[in-house]
């Protein structure tokens, strides 16, 4: 069986008639994306995109507008960069990394971060002094007060 025949074998019927998700009926990788082997390994959503829209240019990946990894509906697929995909992930709340005090290596609580920002904004205390008090270095205090760290607070 060649690549196209194998793809067709796992494709559900009615893909051209719906705006709903159409889920791949074949094997899936651990993150849920459809995959199959025929003349090499293939990701189903990429093959679906190529069939509907043409070749995927170098440096581009196929993104899901529906956030449903097994979906192969070409209406839900668009090209983008890795940066676009990461932005989608953050905007849609799919970032599975624990943040703030939920992170395993966190030394501060959310409340302590608020307190550091409040106290520094009032003045009269240096970043170094705050760092010493909370057991973190001055660079970390600087990132906290500039909101380049602990951005979710």
């Amino acid at each position: 069986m060649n690549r196209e025949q194998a793809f067709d074998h796992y494709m559900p019927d009615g893909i051209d008639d719906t705006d709903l998700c159409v889920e791949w009926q074949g094997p899936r990788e651990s993150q849920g994306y459809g995959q199959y082997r025929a003349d090499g390994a293939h990701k189903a959503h990429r093959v679906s995109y190529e069939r509907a829209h043409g070749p995927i240019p170098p440096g581009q990946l196929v993104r899901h507008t529906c956030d449903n990894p097994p979906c192969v509906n070409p209406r839900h697929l668009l090209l983008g960069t890795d940066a676009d995909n990461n932005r989608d992930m953050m905007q849609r709340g799919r970032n599975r990394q624990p943040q703030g005090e939920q992170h395993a290596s966190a030394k501060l609580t959310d409340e302590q971060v608020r307190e550091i920002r409040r106290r520094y904004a009032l003045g009269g205390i240096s970043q170094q002094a705050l760092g010493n008090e909370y057991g973190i270095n001055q660079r970390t205090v600087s990132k906290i007060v500039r909101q380049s760290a602990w951005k979710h607070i």
Side-chain angles (χ1 to χ4, degrees):
M1 196 177 321
N2 70 25
R3 172 187 153 156
E4 299 300 317
Q5 292 169 324
F7 182 81
D8 289 337
H9 175 74
Y10 292 117
M11 280 300 288
D13 293 329
I15 191 167
D16 297 326
D17 301 326
T18 184
D19 285 326
L20 300 174
C21 285
V22 177
E23 293 196 359
W24 177 249
Q25 300 300 301
R28 296 180 186 177
E29 65 178 21
S30 63
Q31 294 180 334
Y33 294 95
Q35 66 178 3
Y36 67 101
R37 292 191 175 278
D39 302 327
H42 306 282
K43 291 198 176 195
H45 67 290
R46 292 178 60 85
V47 175
S48 181
Y49 179 90
E50 289 177 318
R51 282 182 143 195
H53 305 289
I56 301 167
Q60 297 283 290
L61 48 82
V62 178
R63 298 158 41 214
H64 286 83
T65 60
C66 58
D67 291 333
N68 184 10
C71 181
V72 290
N73 186 338
R75 294 175 184 171
H76 294 190
L77 305 174
L78 71 151
L79 292 178
T81 64
D82 199 33
D84 294 329
N85 203 36
N86 286 331
R87 186 173 44 256
D88 290 346
M89 176 184 67
M90 296 301 286
Q91 288 174 344
R92 297 175 186 164
R94 289 185 288 116
N95 181 5
R96 293 183 178 95
Q97 294 281 11
Q99 290 185 330
E101 63 187 31
Q102 302 302 316
H103 196 280
S105 64
K107 294 182 178 179
L108 301 171
T109 66
D110 293 354
E111 188 54 42
Q112 287 173 319
V113 168
R114 287 185 194 96
E115 183 67 9
I116 288 169
R117 287 183 179 146
R118 185 189 68 75
R119 289 177 62 198
Y120 187 74
L122 288 173
I125 191 164
S126 70
Q127 292 179 2
Q128 184 65 53
L130 284 166
N132 292 343
E133 183 178 333
Y134 286 93
I136 57 177
N137 66 43
Q138 178 273 324
R139 285 180 309 201
T140 302
V141 174
S142 176
K143 289 178 182 179
I144 289 170
V145 299
R146 289 183 289 117
Q147 296 187 344
S148 66
W150 295 74
K151 297 176 190 178
H152 65 288
I153 296 181

